[in-house]
Amino acid sequence: MNHDQYDDNYIRGILNSVKSIAMVGASPVNVRPSYFAFKYLAQRGYDMIPVNPGHVGKALLGKPFVGSLADLGRPVDMIDIFRNSSHIMPVVEEALQLPTPPKVIWMQLGTRDDAAAAKAEAAGIKVVMNRCPKIEYGRLSSEIAWMGVNSRTISAKRAPIPTQGMRLSLNRVSVGGGATSASDRAAKDKSEAT
């Protein structure tokens, strides 16, 4: 597989099929990128498990930390690795030793290990490198346009404002839409106008 560029259908297929994600390197510090990604994915309905030996005994958004993949105690669909590239191979080797290996190994932005990817793929595991599932989810579901990120699409038509329960292209339900009376009025006025 060419890991320099991924087809949208490959990424979409992964994000639509996985239900449980173990995030290796998750942090309870709310300014860390792993915290934001963990929270975002949990809010989109994924069953998230934080994996970090330095935080065992603590919880991240109500989910208790586990020290290693071996401590998961149950199968997971995807392992999202928030470690630098030099730590990827040991995580992949640990994942391959699990009683039920994951379907996907995902390496975060800035991380890549082609040898580890080849090893995982040889065991029948899908691999994504140098990408963030939070960003890819937002991009493929069009939520990223609501966050003020340039989508590189020139259009005079604005993306719809997310409302609670809105169906997205990734076949998951949006959690967008504030609980304030002003935002509720704006969404109602917009729906009545169309």
Side-chain angles (χ1 to χ4, degrees):
M1 165 165 265
N2 176 8
H3 290 288
D4 295 321
Q5 183 175 341
Y6 297 101
D7 183 84
D8 284 351
N9 289 326
Y10 179 73
I11 300 292
R12 186 178 285 111
I14 289 171
L15 294 174
N16 276 330
S17 65
V18 301
K19 292 175 180 46
S20 56
I21 302 173
M23 185 179 284
V24 177
S27 173
V29 179
N30 67 359
V31 295
R32 302 285 303 186
S34 62
Y35 176 89
F36 292 122
F38 189 96
K39 181 178 180 182
Y40 180 90
L41 295 170
Q43 289 175 332
R44 294 330 177 260
Y46 294 100
D47 177 15
M48 302 296 294
I49 304 164
V51 180
N52 190 325
H55 295 292
V56 172
K58 298 177 188 173
L60 178 53
L61 303 175
K63 306 280 187 169
F65 277 91
V66 296
S68 68
L69 295 176
D71 297 333
L72 289 173
R74 64 182 173 105
V76 292
D77 297 324
M78 183 169 102
I79 296 173
D80 182 12
I81 306 173
F82 251 102
R83 302 289 317 270
N84 75 35
S85 296
S86 64
H87 296 282
I88 299 296
M89 185 61 86
V91 173
V92 169
E93 288 173 343
E94 185 180 10
L96 293 174
Q97 297 302 314
L98 293 172
T100 305
K103 298 173 191 166
V104 180
I105 298 217
W106 193 300
M107 300 174 209
Q108 279 292 337
L109 286 173
T111 57
R112 183 177 179 125
D113 185 328
D114 290 296
K119 195 171 206 173
E121 289 174 329
I125 299 171
K126 291 182 178 181
V127 175
V128 177
M129 295 191 285
N130 192 28
R131 296 282 191 282
C132 175
K134 173 186 180 290
I135 292 170
E136 294 300 312
Y137 185 102
R139 181 179 69 82
L140 293 171
S141 69
S142 299
E143 280 186 358
I144 206 161
W146 303 322
M147 295 178 217
V149 177
N150 182 357
S151 66
R152 297 184 184 177
T153 301
I154 299 172
S155 172
K157 185 175 180 183
R158 213 173 250 242
I161 297 171
T163 58
Q164 189 72 34
M166 181 179 190
R167 279 274 172 219
L168 304 173
S169 66
L170 281 173
N171 200 24
R172 293 193 182 264
V173 177
S174 169
V175 295
T180 66
S181 59
S183 65
D184 292 343
R185 265 193 325 274
K188 182 181 176 199
D189 293 346
K190 183 161 178 81
S191 66
E192 288 174 357
T194 56

